[in-house]
């Protein structure tokens, strides 16, 4: 069957099981948009190409499937780079389709031409420029395979306009074979057993969980292993939801704004079991003082991640689901009394949790505390199967600290790149995937303005996302660092003007609310959750509130600042 290139793209996406794409048209991709007219694919028209990339990212994180974004050439393509880099840093499977000028004009500085393959090479797992329509179907098959296997990540396909207009026989490949790309999925049994034996010898172990646990869909196996072996669990920001946060073995998030118990457990442990994390600098602090007296077991599907920052004594390269199943099989066969063995360690951790819980002081001015808003947002969401997204900064950290999670893929946040403007479009992507669930974005008044234009997208497609703005009138985390480390020299971190968020929401066709009293917080949230359309809640919160605990950048846990 002979089809035009644009039709080949559409049929290939359908063959991959894609049901929704996020995009913005332009001259170079008009043949593709023409092919989409009436096709069995839902297209969500965004208001900025960065929003399309974040929506595809949010869709992917919430579902576990590959997200797809479609944009035109030149500025359309370059506008997606922040979204692509965000997905790359957090290993999110995405395919980004970009338009390109005709093959004969590439390199001639043609109108709206940009070398998007070259520009995105450092922040994609792989990039393609398709010069021949006969290569199109195979390229798309390879792109989805690369994006979703091994360590997931974004793959870009650049599509010249004449390739989209040319015709070729269409037959979508059933399989992919790439000689240079064969991820190691199965953990070596001897290495897994060696890791398990080290855990058996430990008196003070800790399970350090990264986002790879969620990407591998291995959370249930993790819970089984932790409960069987009675090992305490701490997670990175990216792994929030990988383990139930209200379980007695959970220590809270670790790192710069992690809990005292989690950070001290990492400092005092004798065996550290790193599962799908990468020893980010926000976790380790000063490397020469981190994990000096413990055996490090590191499991990751990406061999280049192992021993990159912290030397692993026992490395295991494999998919985490495979490794967790093998560890559970070993634990089931073993007769050791894990609870008795770890009781002194667990008792000590309980004391730390009791002495130094996450907390915040009462307001001295009567203004709402942001942590209170987050707590109430979670309380009001009980029974509604919520998905949470965040912007970046103080609001992001308070969300990670004071929300509770029972399962994976319920907390979507830009961890690696720390992208302001991520939360609202990611929430729209998640809501598009799950129209019946409650999706709430926790934002600051600074970060929400990075992509607030996408509120009209939510309104147009009847996606009832809720936005909680913790409005303190400043760039909160910048302001906090300036207060603590720059002698309160608040250089360009205080907004002299902000828009009227209520009127802005109404202008977009959403519902706007402003809340200034603590007593009105819960009723406003409950009302917002009941409304079946996008709602923006502008909570006026205390300006001077800070995120604690805090380990100073480049510091150690011994320098941790508590409330």
């Amino acid at each position: 069957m002979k089809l035009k290139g644009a039709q080949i793209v559409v049929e290939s996406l359908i063959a991959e099981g894609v049901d929704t794409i996020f995009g913005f048209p332009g001259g170079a991709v008009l043949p593709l948009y023409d092919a989409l007219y009436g096709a069995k694919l839902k297209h969500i028209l965004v208001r900025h190409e960065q929003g399309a990339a974040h929506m595809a990212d949010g869709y992917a994180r919430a579902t576990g499937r590959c997200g797809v974004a479609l944009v035109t050439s030149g500025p359309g393509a370059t506008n997606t780079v922040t979204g692509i880099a965000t997905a790359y840093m957090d290993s999110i499977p995405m395919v980004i389709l970009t338009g390109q000028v005709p093959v004969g004009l590439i390199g001639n500085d043609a109108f709206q031409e940009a070398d998007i393959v070259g520009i995105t090479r450092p922040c994609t797992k792989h990039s393609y420029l398709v010069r021949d329509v006969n290569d199109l179907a195979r390229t798309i098959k390879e792109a989805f395979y690369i994006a979703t296997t091994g360590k997931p990540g974004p793959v870009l396909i650049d599509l010249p306009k004449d390739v989209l207009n040319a015709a070729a026989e269409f037959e979508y490949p059933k399989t992919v074979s790439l000689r240079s790309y064969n991820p190691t999925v199965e953990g070596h049994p001897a290495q897994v057993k060696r890791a398990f034996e080290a855990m058996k010898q430990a008196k003070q172990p800790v399970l350090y969980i990264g986002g790879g646990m969620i990407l591998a869909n291995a959370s249930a196996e993790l819970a089984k292993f932790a409960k069987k072996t009675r090992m305490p669990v701490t997670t990175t920001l990216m792994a929030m939801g990988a383990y139930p946060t209200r379980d007695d073995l959970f220590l809270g998030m670790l790192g710069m704004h992690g809990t005292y118990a989690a950070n001290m457990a990492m400092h005092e442990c004798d065996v550290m079991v790193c599962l799908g994390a990468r020893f980010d600098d926000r976790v380790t602090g000063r490397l020469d003082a981190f994990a000096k007296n413990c055996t490090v077991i590191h499991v990751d599907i990406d061999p280049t991640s192992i021993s990159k920052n912290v030397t692993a004594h026992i490395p295991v390269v494999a998919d985490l689901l495979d490794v967790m199943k093998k560890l559970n099989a070993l634990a089931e066969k073993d007769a050791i009394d894990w609870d008795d063995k770890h009781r002194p360690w667990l008792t000590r951790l309980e004391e730390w949790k009791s002495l130094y819980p996450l907390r915040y002081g009462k307001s001295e001015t009567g203004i709402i505390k942001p942590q209170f808003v987050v707590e109430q947002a979670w309380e009001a969401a009980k029974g509604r199967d919520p998905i949470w997204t965040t912007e970046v900064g103080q609001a992001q950290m308070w969300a990670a600290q004071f929300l509770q999670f029972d399962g994976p893929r319920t907390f979507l946040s830009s961890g690696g790149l720390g992208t302001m403007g991520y939360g609202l479009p990611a929430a729209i992507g998640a809501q598009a995937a799950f129209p019946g669930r409650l999706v709430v974005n926790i934002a600051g008044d600074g970060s929400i303005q990075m992509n607030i234009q996408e509120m009209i997208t939510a309104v147009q497609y009847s996606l009832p996302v809720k936005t909680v703005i913790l409005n303190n009138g400043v760039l909160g985390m910048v302001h906090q660092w300036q207060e603590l480390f720059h002698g309160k020299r608040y250089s360009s971190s205080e907004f002299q003007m902000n828009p009227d968020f209520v009127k802005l929401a109404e202008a977009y066709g959403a519902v706007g609310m402003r809340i200034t009293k603590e007593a009105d917080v819960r009723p406003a949230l409950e009302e917002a959750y009941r409304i079946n359309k996008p709602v923006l809640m502008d909570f006026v919160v205390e300006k001077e509130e800070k995120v604690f605990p805090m380990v100073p950048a480049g510091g150690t846990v011994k320098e941790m600042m508590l409330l």
Side-chain angles (χ1 to χ4, degrees):
M1 179 174 54
K2 213 162 192 176
L3 297 178
K4 281 190 171 183
Q7 291 172 300
I8 290 174
V9 174
V10 172
E11 292 301 323
S12 299
L13 293 176
I14 292 171
E16 283 295 332
V18 175
D19 55 19
T20 306
I21 60 177
F22 306 89
F24 198 96
V29 286
L30 279 184
L32 189 43
Y33 271 86
D34 190 63
L36 280 171
Y37 193 82
K40 294 178 181 176
L41 272 178
K42 184 175 183 180
H43 176 273
I44 291 184
L45 175 62
V46 304
R47 297 303 188 268
H48 190 287
E49 291 88 350
Q50 183 183 348
H54 291 323
M55 287 180 206
D57 176 311
Y59 177 96
R61 294 191 203 221
T63 63
R65 303 198 295 270
C66 190
V68 180
L70 165 62
V71 299
T72 193
S73 63
T78 57
N79 279 344
T80 66
V81 173
T82 298
I84 294 171
T86 301
Y88 182 74
M89 289 290 281
D90 292 343
S91 305
I92 305 304
M94 278 172 49
V95 168
I96 306 96
L97 304 169
T98 53
Q100 185 54 276
V101 300
V103 172
L105 293 179
I106 292 175
N108 287 357
D109 295 333
F111 176 67
Q112 289 196 331
E113 182 194 0
D115 177 13
I116 192 63
V117 169
I119 290 169
T120 58
R121 189 162 284 138
C123 61
T124 54
K125 197 172 172 187
H126 194 66
S127 296
Y128 292 93
L129 169 60
V130 183
R131 291 177 178 271
D132 187 332
V133 67
N134 292 295
D135 297 333
L136 200 45
R138 174 186 55 78
T139 300
I140 294 172
K141 184 70 180 177
E142 289 181 3
F144 275 87
Y145 175 67
I146 293 170
T148 56
T149 56
K151 182 179 182 179
V155 176
L156 184 139
I157 308 174
D158 204 20
L159 301 164
K161 188 170 185 176
D162 52 342
V163 171
L164 293 174
N165 280 323
E169 288 293 329
F170 175 66
E171 183 176 354
Y172 199 61
K174 290 185 172 62
T175 59
V176 169
S177 177
L178 298 170
R179 190 174 61 179
S180 58
Y181 178 72
N182 293 293
T184 300
V185 176
E186 295 186 8
H188 194 288
Q191 279 299 88
V192 176
K193 188 170 184 183
R194 189 179 161 212
F196 183 69
E197 291 300 321
M199 292 182 219
K200 281 175 64 177
Q201 300 303 316
K203 293 180 179 176
Q204 299 185 167
V206 64
L207 298 174
Y208 157 37
I209 310 302
M213 189 65 71
I214 294 175
L215 295 170
N217 295 314
S219 297
E221 293 292 332
L222 167 67
K224 185 178 174 184
F225 185 72
K227 291 178 188 301
K228 174 70 178 177
T229 60
R230 300 296 294 160
M231 289 193 200
V233 179
T234 180
T235 68
T236 64
L237 177 78
M238 294 306 303
M240 295 301 290
Y243 193 83
T245 53
R246 286 174 286 175
D247 188 86
D248 66 324
L249 290 169
F250 187 62
L251 303 175
M253 183 176 71
L254 79 163
M256 179 175 281
H257 294 295
T259 66
Y260 182 88
N263 283 328
M264 289 307 294
M266 294 286 281
H267 188 69
E268 299 283 325
C269 68
D270 57 1
V271 170
M272 181 185 297
V273 187
C274 174
L275 301 170
R278 56 193 171 90
F279 293 96
D280 180 86
D281 61 290
R282 288 286 172 106
V283 164
T284 63
R286 212 179 77 210
L287 266 175
D288 64 342
F290 177 77
K292 301 302 292 180
N293 302 307
C294 69
T295 298
V296 175
I297 300 167
H298 193 170
V299 184
D300 204 293
I301 198 165
D302 178 11
T304 67
S305 290
I306 293 179
S307 294
K308 183 167 65 179
N309 297 323
V310 171
T311 301
H313 303 100
I314 304 176
V316 182
V317 178
D319 181 85
L320 267 172
L321 183 58
D322 175 77
V323 172
M324 294 311 301
K325 286 181 177 177
K326 286 187 167 92
L327 287 173
N328 274 316
L330 291 168
E332 285 298 324
K333 291 177 186 173
D334 206 285
I336 192 170
D337 186 341
W338 294 94
D339 190 66
D340 181 65
K341 184 172 180 292
H342 293 154
R343 181 48 46 197
W345 175 230
L346 293 174
T347 300
R348 192 173 174 199
L349 294 172
E350 281 300 322
E351 288 174 358
W352 283 337
K353 286 165 70 175
S354 176
L355 286 171
Y356 307 106
L358 291 170
R359 58 190 168 194
Y360 55 93
K362 291 281 292 180
S363 173
E364 296 176 358
T365 60
I367 298 178
I368 302 168
K369 288 281 187 173
Q371 301 95 326
F372 177 76
V373 177
V374 175
E375 283 182 333
Q376 292 304 307
W378 176 75
E379 289 282 351
K382 283 181 181 175
R384 296 176 182 268
D385 199 14
I387 297 173
W388 305 92
T389 69
T390 78
E391 303 291 343
V392 165
Q394 284 185 320
Q396 178 188 34
M397 291 299 113
W398 285 318
Q401 290 179 334
F402 291 95
L403 292 175
Q404 302 293 335
F405 308 98
D406 297 321
R409 303 194 182 281
T410 55
F411 181 70
L412 319 181
S413 190
S414 171
L417 199 64
T419 304
M420 294 177 73
Y422 170 81
L424 177 58
I428 293 171
Q431 190 82 81
F434 297 104
R437 292 176 67 175
L438 173 66
V439 180
V440 184
N441 177 37
I442 307 288
D445 52 311
S447 55
I448 191 63
Q449 295 184 68
M450 291 278 181
N451 272 316
I452 198 168
Q453 77 284 346
E454 299 303 342
M455 187 156 287
I456 192 70
T457 307
V459 172
Q460 178 176 337
Y461 291 93
S462 301
L463 299 170
V465 297
K466 316 304 177 196
T467 297
V468 171
I469 299 179
L470 305 176
N471 186 349
N472 55 11
V474 297
L475 290 169
M477 196 59 87
V478 175
H479 202 260
Q480 175 168 333
W481 281 46
Q482 287 174 332
E483 177 176 334
L484 297 176
F485 309 119
H486 296 274
K488 298 187 178 181
R489 292 161 59 84
Y490 300 119
S491 178
S492 301
S493 64
E494 298 188 346
F495 292 118
Q496 302 302 316
M497 295 180 67
N498 255 336
D500 184 327
F501 288 112
V502 174
K503 289 182 178 175
L504 192 55
E506 291 170 350
Y508 283 131
V511 174
M513 301 177 179
R514 177 171 294 111
I515 303 94
T516 58
K517 296 177 182 175
E518 187 176 286
D520 295 336
V521 169
R522 182 65 173 270
L525 286 159
E526 290 180 347
E527 182 185 353
Y529 292 173
R530 280 195 296 269
I531 296 173
N532 190 28
K533 60 189 301 187
V535 180
L536 182 150
M537 291 160 275
D538 180 18
F539 292 93
V540 179
V541 300
E542 191 163 303
K543 176 181 172 182
E544 303 300 333
E545 192 65 19
K546 288 177 277 296
V547 182
F548 287 123
M550 181 177 187
V551 179
T556 73
V557 293
K558 294 294 185 185
E559 300 166 76
M560 192 186 321
M561 293 183 279
L562 302 170
L563 180 64

